Amino acid sequence: MRKLTQAFLALFVAASMGTRAQADDPVVTLKVHHFLPAHSVTQADLLKPWAERITRESDGRIQFQFYPSMQLGGTPPQLIDQARDGVADIVWTLPGYTAGRFPLISVFEQPFIGRSAEATSQAMWSFIEKHGQKEFAGVRLLATHTTDGTLIHTVKKPIKKMSDFRGMKIRAANRTSTKLISILGGTPVAMPVPQVPESLSKGVVDGAILPWDVVPALKLQELVKYHTEMAPNQPLLMQTVMILAMNPAAYDRLPDDLKKILDDNTGLTLSKQAGQLFDTQVIETGHALARKQNNEIYVLPEDEQQKWMKAAARLDQDWVKDVEGKGYDNGQALLDDARQLIDQYSANPSR
Protein backbone atom coordinates (compact mmCIF):
# COMPACT_ATOMS: atom_id res chain seq x y z
CA MET A 1 0.00 0.00 0.00
CA ARG A 2 2.87 2.32 0.88
CA LYS A 3 4.43 1.74 -2.56
CA LEU A 4 1.07 2.22 -4.26
CA THR A 5 0.49 5.47 -2.38
CA GLN A 6 3.95 6.71 -3.30
CA ALA A 7 3.29 5.86 -6.94
CA PHE A 8 0.03 7.83 -6.90
CA LEU A 9 1.77 10.76 -5.24
CA ALA A 10 4.51 10.70 -7.87
CA LEU A 11 1.91 10.69 -10.66
CA PHE A 12 0.04 13.54 -8.97
CA VAL A 13 3.21 15.63 -8.61
CA ALA A 14 4.21 14.96 -12.22
CA ALA A 15 0.75 15.89 -13.48
CA SER A 16 0.76 19.04 -11.36
CA MET A 17 4.17 20.04 -12.67
CA GLY A 18 3.03 19.40 -16.26
CA THR A 19 -0.07 21.53 -15.76
CA ARG A 20 1.98 24.27 -14.13
CA ALA A 21 4.53 24.15 -16.96
CA GLN A 22 1.77 24.41 -19.52
CA ALA A 23 0.17 27.28 -17.64
CA ASP A 24 3.53 29.03 -17.47
CA ASP A 25 4.13 28.72 -21.21
CA PRO A 26 4.12 32.19 -22.74
CA VAL A 27 1.15 33.32 -24.80
CA VAL A 28 2.04 34.75 -28.19
CA THR A 29 -0.22 37.47 -29.58
CA LEU A 30 0.12 38.08 -33.31
CA LYS A 31 -0.98 41.39 -34.82
CA VAL A 32 -2.95 40.95 -38.05
CA HIS A 33 -3.24 44.03 -40.28
CA HIS A 34 -5.35 44.55 -43.41
CA PHE A 35 -7.24 47.26 -45.28
CA LEU A 36 -10.86 46.06 -45.17
CA PRO A 37 -13.40 46.69 -42.37
CA ALA A 38 -13.82 44.19 -39.54
CA HIS A 39 -17.19 43.03 -40.93
CA SER A 40 -15.70 42.20 -44.33
CA VAL A 41 -15.82 38.64 -45.64
CA THR A 42 -12.05 38.46 -45.40
CA GLN A 43 -11.90 39.04 -41.65
CA ALA A 44 -15.26 37.64 -40.55
CA ASP A 45 -15.35 34.47 -42.65
CA LEU A 46 -11.73 33.71 -43.54
CA LEU A 47 -9.18 35.15 -41.14
CA LYS A 48 -11.17 35.07 -37.90
CA PRO A 49 -12.23 31.39 -38.13
CA TRP A 50 -8.67 30.50 -39.14
CA ALA A 51 -7.26 32.38 -36.13
CA GLU A 52 -9.79 30.80 -33.76
CA ARG A 53 -8.85 27.34 -34.99
CA ILE A 54 -5.16 27.97 -34.29
CA THR A 55 -5.92 29.44 -30.87
CA ARG A 56 -7.98 26.35 -30.04
CA GLU A 57 -5.35 23.88 -31.28
CA SER A 58 -2.62 25.72 -29.36
CA ASP A 59 -4.66 25.64 -26.13
CA GLY A 60 -4.74 29.41 -26.17
CA ARG A 61 -0.98 29.87 -26.53
CA ILE A 62 -1.36 31.65 -29.89
CA GLN A 63 -3.71 34.61 -29.84
CA PHE A 64 -4.53 37.07 -32.62
CA GLN A 65 -5.27 40.79 -32.48
CA PHE A 66 -6.91 42.14 -35.62
CA TYR A 67 -6.29 45.63 -36.94
CA PRO A 68 -8.71 46.16 -39.86
CA SER A 69 -9.04 49.27 -41.99
CA MET A 70 -5.31 50.10 -41.71
CA GLN A 71 -5.56 50.78 -37.97
CA LEU A 72 -1.81 50.36 -37.53
CA GLY A 73 -1.25 53.20 -39.96
CA GLY A 74 0.16 53.45 -43.44
CA THR A 75 -1.56 52.77 -46.74
CA PRO A 76 -2.60 49.46 -48.36
CA PRO A 77 0.44 49.37 -50.70
CA GLN A 78 2.68 49.50 -47.62
CA LEU A 79 1.26 46.36 -45.99
CA ILE A 80 3.78 43.95 -47.48
CA ASP A 81 6.66 46.06 -46.11
CA GLN A 82 4.94 46.22 -42.73
CA ALA A 83 5.15 42.42 -42.60
CA ARG A 84 8.77 42.53 -43.69
CA ASP A 85 9.69 45.24 -41.15
CA GLY A 86 7.66 43.88 -38.23
CA VAL A 87 5.14 46.72 -37.96
CA ALA A 88 2.60 43.89 -38.16
CA ASP A 89 3.16 40.19 -37.54
CA ILE A 90 0.75 39.11 -40.29
CA VAL A 91 -0.77 41.03 -43.18
CA TRP A 92 -3.41 40.24 -45.77
CA THR A 93 -2.88 42.28 -48.91
CA LEU A 94 -2.77 42.63 -52.69
CA PRO A 95 0.69 42.28 -54.22
CA GLY A 96 -0.71 44.17 -57.21
CA TYR A 97 -0.84 47.38 -55.17
CA THR A 98 2.92 47.68 -55.71
CA ALA A 99 3.17 47.75 -59.50
CA GLY A 100 5.96 45.67 -61.02
CA ARG A 101 7.28 44.40 -57.69
CA PHE A 102 5.79 40.91 -57.89
CA PRO A 103 5.89 40.07 -61.59
CA LEU A 104 5.65 36.28 -61.30
CA ILE A 105 2.55 36.07 -59.13
CA SER A 106 0.79 38.60 -61.36
CA VAL A 107 0.42 35.86 -63.99
CA PHE A 108 -2.66 34.75 -62.03
CA GLU A 109 -4.24 38.15 -62.68
CA GLN A 110 -4.07 37.74 -66.43
CA PRO A 111 -7.49 38.14 -68.04
CA PHE A 112 -9.46 34.95 -68.57
CA ILE A 113 -6.79 32.66 -67.08
CA GLY A 114 -8.88 31.00 -64.35
CA ARG A 115 -12.34 29.55 -63.87
CA SER A 116 -12.52 29.25 -60.07
CA ALA A 117 -10.84 30.69 -57.01
CA GLU A 118 -10.31 27.23 -55.52
CA ALA A 119 -8.24 25.97 -58.45
CA THR A 120 -6.33 29.20 -59.06
CA SER A 121 -5.49 29.65 -55.37
CA GLN A 122 -3.90 26.21 -55.15
CA ALA A 123 -2.15 26.62 -58.49
CA MET A 124 -0.65 29.87 -57.25
CA TRP A 125 0.77 28.26 -54.10
CA SER A 126 2.37 25.46 -56.13
CA PHE A 127 3.67 27.93 -58.71
CA ILE A 128 5.41 30.05 -56.06
CA GLU A 129 6.95 26.95 -54.48
CA LYS A 130 8.43 26.08 -57.89
CA HIS A 131 9.38 29.50 -59.24
CA GLY A 132 8.67 32.41 -56.93
CA GLN A 133 10.53 32.02 -53.65
CA LYS A 134 12.86 34.98 -54.25
CA GLU A 135 9.93 37.19 -55.14
CA PHE A 136 8.75 37.01 -51.53
CA ALA A 137 12.13 37.15 -49.83
CA GLY A 138 11.78 38.93 -46.49
CA VAL A 139 8.34 37.57 -45.62
CA ARG A 140 6.95 34.13 -44.86
CA LEU A 141 3.95 33.29 -47.01
CA LEU A 142 1.09 31.64 -45.14
CA ALA A 143 -1.41 31.43 -48.01
CA THR A 144 -2.03 32.61 -51.54
CA HIS A 145 -5.51 32.92 -52.95
CA THR A 146 -7.59 34.78 -55.44
CA THR A 147 -10.91 36.44 -55.00
CA ASP A 148 -13.94 35.37 -56.97
CA GLY A 149 -13.82 36.59 -60.55
CA THR A 150 -13.90 40.35 -60.92
CA LEU A 151 -16.89 41.89 -62.60
CA ILE A 152 -17.84 45.36 -63.76
CA HIS A 153 -20.03 47.46 -61.47
CA THR A 154 -21.46 50.62 -63.06
CA VAL A 155 -23.62 53.52 -61.94
CA LYS A 156 -25.61 54.84 -64.90
CA LYS A 157 -25.63 52.12 -67.54
CA PRO A 158 -24.72 48.45 -67.82
CA ILE A 159 -21.77 47.12 -69.78
CA LYS A 160 -23.24 44.65 -72.28
CA LYS A 161 -20.75 44.92 -75.14
CA MET A 162 -17.31 46.35 -75.77
CA SER A 163 -18.65 49.56 -77.27
CA ASP A 164 -20.37 50.33 -73.93
CA PHE A 165 -16.94 51.02 -72.41
CA ARG A 166 -16.47 54.06 -74.62
CA GLY A 167 -16.42 57.25 -72.54
CA MET A 168 -16.57 55.33 -69.24
CA LYS A 169 -14.07 55.92 -66.45
CA ILE A 170 -13.54 52.59 -64.72
CA ARG A 171 -11.61 51.95 -61.52
CA ALA A 172 -8.65 49.61 -61.99
CA ALA A 173 -6.71 47.73 -59.32
CA ASN A 174 -3.36 47.11 -60.99
CA ARG A 175 -1.37 47.39 -64.21
CA THR A 176 -3.09 44.46 -65.87
CA SER A 177 -6.63 45.67 -65.21
CA THR A 178 -5.55 49.15 -66.32
CA LYS A 179 -4.40 47.72 -69.66
CA LEU A 180 -7.51 45.57 -69.97
CA ILE A 181 -9.90 48.49 -69.49
CA SER A 182 -8.03 50.46 -72.14
CA ILE A 183 -8.15 47.56 -74.59
CA LEU A 184 -11.89 47.16 -74.05
CA GLY A 185 -12.39 50.86 -74.78
CA GLY A 186 -12.73 52.47 -71.36
CA THR A 187 -10.62 54.95 -69.42
CA PRO A 188 -8.88 53.29 -66.47
CA VAL A 189 -8.48 55.09 -63.14
CA ALA A 190 -6.17 53.25 -60.73
CA MET A 191 -6.99 53.41 -57.01
CA PRO A 192 -7.00 51.18 -53.90
CA VAL A 193 -10.25 49.60 -52.74
CA PRO A 194 -10.91 52.02 -49.82
CA GLN A 195 -11.14 54.98 -52.25
CA VAL A 196 -13.79 53.38 -54.45
CA PRO A 197 -17.01 54.37 -52.59
CA GLU A 198 -16.18 58.10 -52.48
CA SER A 199 -14.97 58.05 -56.09
CA LEU A 200 -18.23 56.47 -57.25
CA SER A 201 -20.43 58.78 -55.21
CA LYS A 202 -18.61 61.90 -56.47
CA GLY A 203 -18.52 60.78 -60.10
CA VAL A 204 -14.73 60.48 -60.22
CA VAL A 205 -15.36 57.10 -61.86
CA ASP A 206 -18.43 55.68 -63.61
CA GLY A 207 -17.77 52.13 -62.49
CA ALA A 208 -15.25 49.74 -61.04
CA ILE A 209 -13.72 46.37 -61.72
CA LEU A 210 -14.09 44.54 -58.41
CA PRO A 211 -14.99 41.05 -57.19
CA TRP A 212 -18.17 40.35 -55.25
CA ASP A 213 -16.24 39.90 -52.01
CA VAL A 214 -15.78 43.63 -51.40
CA VAL A 215 -19.39 44.53 -52.15
CA PRO A 216 -20.68 44.04 -48.56
CA ALA A 217 -17.73 45.84 -46.97
CA LEU A 218 -18.04 48.87 -49.25
CA LYS A 219 -21.86 48.74 -49.52
CA LEU A 220 -21.17 48.89 -53.23
CA GLN A 221 -24.66 47.71 -54.13
CA GLU A 222 -25.98 51.05 -52.84
CA LEU A 223 -23.61 53.06 -55.04
CA VAL A 224 -24.08 51.29 -58.38
CA LYS A 225 -27.05 49.95 -60.29
CA TYR A 226 -25.55 47.43 -62.68
CA HIS A 227 -23.24 44.42 -62.39
CA THR A 228 -21.79 42.64 -65.46
CA GLU A 229 -20.30 39.20 -64.87
CA MET A 230 -19.08 36.30 -66.99
CA ALA A 231 -21.32 33.31 -67.70
CA PRO A 232 -21.03 30.23 -65.44
CA ASN A 233 -18.27 27.78 -66.38
CA GLN A 234 -16.61 30.38 -68.61
CA PRO A 235 -13.15 31.90 -68.01
CA LEU A 236 -13.31 34.70 -65.45
CA LEU A 237 -12.68 38.29 -66.50
CA MET A 238 -9.87 38.58 -63.98
CA GLN A 239 -9.04 37.41 -60.49
CA THR A 240 -7.36 39.51 -57.84
CA VAL A 241 -4.31 37.92 -56.23
CA MET A 242 -4.21 38.04 -52.43
CA ILE A 243 -1.57 36.86 -49.98
CA LEU A 244 -1.38 36.21 -46.26
CA ALA A 245 2.21 36.92 -45.21
CA MET A 246 4.05 36.81 -41.88
CA ASN A 247 7.06 38.56 -40.47
CA PRO A 248 9.83 35.90 -40.44
CA ALA A 249 11.18 36.99 -37.06
CA ALA A 250 7.71 36.61 -35.51
CA TYR A 251 7.56 33.08 -36.86
CA ASP A 252 11.09 32.23 -35.72
CA ARG A 253 10.26 33.31 -32.16
CA LEU A 254 7.58 30.63 -31.88
CA PRO A 255 8.44 27.38 -30.07
CA ASP A 256 8.65 24.37 -32.37
CA ASP A 257 5.28 22.95 -31.33
CA LEU A 258 3.53 26.24 -32.13
CA LYS A 259 5.34 26.49 -35.46
CA LYS A 260 3.93 23.08 -36.33
CA ILE A 261 0.39 24.16 -35.48
CA LEU A 262 0.78 27.23 -37.67
CA ASP A 263 2.34 25.19 -40.49
CA ASP A 264 -0.47 22.63 -40.35
CA ASN A 265 -3.04 25.40 -40.83
CA THR A 266 -1.38 27.34 -43.64
CA GLY A 267 0.09 26.70 -47.08
CA LEU A 268 -1.83 24.77 -49.72
CA THR A 269 -4.57 23.80 -47.26
CA LEU A 270 -5.44 27.36 -46.27
CA SER A 271 -5.10 28.55 -49.87
CA LYS A 272 -7.67 25.99 -50.98
CA GLN A 273 -10.05 26.87 -48.12
CA ALA A 274 -9.87 30.54 -49.05
CA GLY A 275 -10.61 29.77 -52.69
CA GLN A 276 -13.63 27.67 -51.76
CA LEU A 277 -15.01 30.48 -49.64
CA PHE A 278 -14.75 32.98 -52.48
CA ASP A 279 -16.30 30.57 -54.98
CA THR A 280 -19.42 29.94 -52.94
CA GLN A 281 -20.45 32.12 -50.01
CA VAL A 282 -18.93 35.31 -51.39
CA ILE A 283 -20.72 35.14 -54.74
CA GLU A 284 -24.02 34.12 -53.16
CA THR A 285 -23.83 37.03 -50.72
CA GLY A 286 -22.99 39.51 -53.48
CA HIS A 287 -25.89 38.35 -55.63
CA ALA A 288 -28.31 38.55 -52.71
CA LEU A 289 -27.28 42.10 -51.84
CA ALA A 290 -27.55 43.27 -55.44
CA ARG A 291 -31.01 41.74 -55.88
CA LYS A 292 -32.22 43.19 -52.57
CA GLN A 293 -31.24 46.60 -53.91
CA ASN A 294 -33.12 45.84 -57.16
CA ASN A 295 -29.88 46.11 -59.12
CA GLU A 296 -29.45 44.43 -62.49
CA ILE A 297 -27.01 41.51 -62.77
CA TYR A 298 -26.17 41.08 -66.45
CA VAL A 299 -24.49 37.86 -67.57
CA LEU A 300 -22.28 38.43 -70.59
CA PRO A 301 -23.21 36.09 -73.47
CA GLU A 302 -20.52 33.63 -74.50
CA ASP A 303 -20.17 35.05 -78.02
CA GLU A 304 -19.59 38.56 -76.64
CA GLN A 305 -17.10 37.21 -74.10
CA GLN A 306 -15.14 35.60 -76.94
CA LYS A 307 -14.68 39.07 -78.45
CA TRP A 308 -13.34 40.37 -75.15
CA MET A 309 -11.00 37.39 -74.84
CA LYS A 310 -9.65 37.88 -78.35
CA ALA A 311 -8.95 41.55 -77.67
CA ALA A 312 -7.26 40.78 -74.35
CA ALA A 313 -5.04 37.97 -75.68
CA ARG A 314 -2.20 40.42 -76.41
CA LEU A 315 -1.77 40.95 -72.66
CA ASP A 316 -0.25 37.48 -72.34
CA GLN A 317 2.72 38.50 -74.44
CA ASP A 318 2.98 41.75 -72.50
CA TRP A 319 3.34 39.67 -69.34
CA VAL A 320 5.96 37.41 -70.95
CA LYS A 321 8.05 40.41 -72.03
CA ASP A 322 7.67 42.09 -68.67
CA VAL A 323 8.77 39.10 -66.62
CA GLU A 324 11.71 38.39 -68.92
CA GLY A 325 12.71 42.04 -68.62
CA LYS A 326 12.95 41.52 -64.86
CA GLY A 327 15.48 38.73 -65.25
CA TYR A 328 13.37 35.59 -65.47
CA ASP A 329 14.14 33.06 -68.20
CA ASN A 330 11.50 31.85 -70.65
CA GLY A 331 8.43 33.81 -69.65
CA GLN A 332 6.28 31.78 -72.02
CA ALA A 333 7.20 28.57 -70.19
CA LEU A 334 6.24 30.20 -66.89
CA LEU A 335 2.90 31.32 -68.32
CA ASP A 336 2.27 27.83 -69.69
CA ASP A 337 3.11 26.28 -66.32
CA ALA A 338 0.68 28.60 -64.53
CA ARG A 339 -2.08 27.55 -66.94
CA GLN A 340 -1.16 23.88 -66.57
CA LEU A 341 -1.35 24.10 -62.76
CA ILE A 342 -4.75 25.80 -62.97
CA ASP A 343 -5.98 23.01 -65.27
CA GLN A 344 -4.53 20.40 -62.92
CA TYR A 345 -6.31 21.74 -59.85
CA SER A 346 -9.50 22.39 -61.83
CA ALA A 347 -9.58 18.73 -62.87
CA ASN A 348 -8.75 17.54 -59.34
CA PRO A 349 -10.53 19.96 -56.96
CA SER A 350 -10.03 17.67 -53.95
CA ARG A 351 -6.32 17.18 -54.63
Side-chain angles (χ1 to χ4, degrees):
M1 284 296 294
R2 187 182 304 112
K3 290 182 178 179
L4 191 60
T5 301
Q6 289 173 342
F8 275 122
L9 282 171
L11 285 172
F12 175 77
V13 170
S16 299
M17 289 178 66
T19 302
R20 190 178 303 114
Q22 188 174 23
D24 290 342
D25 284 339
V27 173
V28 178
T29 300
L30 299 174
K31 297 179 291 185
V32 184
H33 199 202
H34 64 88
F35 58 85
L36 288 178
H39 63 270
S40 64
V41 170
T42 295
Q43 178 165 318
D45 299 304
L46 175 61
L47 298 180
K48 194 165 183 287
W50 167 75
E52 289 171 346
R53 183 167 64 249
I54 291 175
T55 297
R56 185 170 59 251
E57 291 183 11
S58 67
D59 294 325
R61 292 170 60 205
I62 301 180
Q63 301 283 338
F64 295 84
Q65 179 65 51
F66 285 92
Y67 295 89
S69 301
M70 301 304 299
Q71 289 178 359
L72 289 179
T75 62
Q78 295 171 333
L79 279 166
I80 189 69
D81 286 324
Q82 291 184 351
R84 181 176 283 110
D85 299 338
V87 174
D89 298 309
I90 296 173
V91 302
W92 178 85
T93 188
L94 283 77
Y97 273 160
T98 51
R101 185 168 170 182
F102 301 97
L104 279 186
I105 203 171
S106 69
V107 70
F108 295 97
E109 294 184 324
Q110 287 298 104
F112 307 108
I113 196 171
R115 293 174 183 262
S116 75
E118 179 181 348
T120 308
S121 297
Q122 294 175 92
M124 184 164 31
W125 182 267
S126 296
F127 184 85
I128 290 173
E129 283 191 320
K130 291 172 67 175
H131 307 295
Q133 293 295 328
K134 72 175 184 179
E135 188 157 284
F136 290 96
V139 297
R140 182 180 183 86
L141 282 185
L142 302 181
T144 60
H145 75 93
T146 65
T147 60
D148 54 297
T150 59
L151 58 154
I152 306 162
H153 312 268
T154 49
V155 178
K156 294 181 180 179
K157 68 174 186 178
I159 299 289
K160 296 186 175 183
K161 53 187 182 301
M162 281 180 61
S163 59
D164 290 333
F165 279 98
R166 198 171 300 126
M168 298 273 280
K169 294 176 292 184
I170 306 292
R171 176 265 177 183
N174 52 41
R175 293 171 63 190
T176 304
S177 59
T178 295
K179 291 180 180 180
L180 178 62
I181 292 168
S182 295
I183 287 172
L184 296 176
T187 301
V189 181
M191 68 179 67
V193 167
Q195 294 178 15
V196 172
E198 183 178 5
S199 297
L200 284 169
S201 63
K202 292 185 175 181
V204 175
V205 292
D206 304 301
I209 287 186
L210 285 167
W212 281 115
D213 83 283
V214 299
V215 168
L218 302 183
K219 297 184 178 180
L220 196 68
Q221 76 278 8
E222 299 176 11
L223 298 169
V224 302
K225 191 66 180 175
Y226 306 98
H227 314 269
T228 300
E229 62 182 11
M230 304 299 104
N233 302 316
Q234 292 298 310
L236 300 168
L237 178 65
M238 293 185 72
Q239 291 175 281
T240 303
V241 165
M242 313 297 307
I243 60 169
L244 189 68
M246 186 173 186
N247 174 262
Y251 177 84
D252 291 341
R253 285 194 294 268
L254 296 174
D256 288 343
D257 61 327
L258 296 189
K259 286 179 182 175
K260 185 178 187 307
I261 291 171
L262 196 64
D263 293 344
D264 289 345
N265 286 282
T266 53
L268 189 64
T269 299
L270 182 58
S271 301
K272 178 181 179 179
Q273 291 170 352
Q276 290 172 331
L277 172 68
F278 281 83
D279 278 336
T280 55
Q281 178 181 326
V282 164
I283 295 176
E284 292 165 5
T285 299
H287 282 190
L289 289 171
R291 292 193 178 106
K292 185 177 180 181
Q293 200 69 23
N294 294 317
N295 289 359
E296 177 185 329
I297 300 175
Y298 180 77
V299 178
L300 198 70
E302 187 176 343
D303 60 341
E304 180 63 24
Q305 180 170 338
Q306 289 297 320
K307 297 176 185 176
W308 294 25
M309 290 172 67
K310 184 177 180 180
R314 74 184 79 165
L315 293 180
D316 282 350
Q317 288 310 304
D318 285 354
W319 183 86
V320 168
K321 291 177 183 178
D322 184 57
V323 80
E324 288 179 347
K326 289 181 168 58
Y328 291 93
D329 294 329
N330 202 338
Q332 185 63 52
L334 290 168
L335 176 61
D336 292 343
D337 193 37
R339 291 188 182 279
Q340 187 275 326
L341 285 167
I342 290 173
D343 290 344
Q344 172 185 316
Y345 284 108
S346 296
N348 301 284
S350 60
R351 182 183 172 88

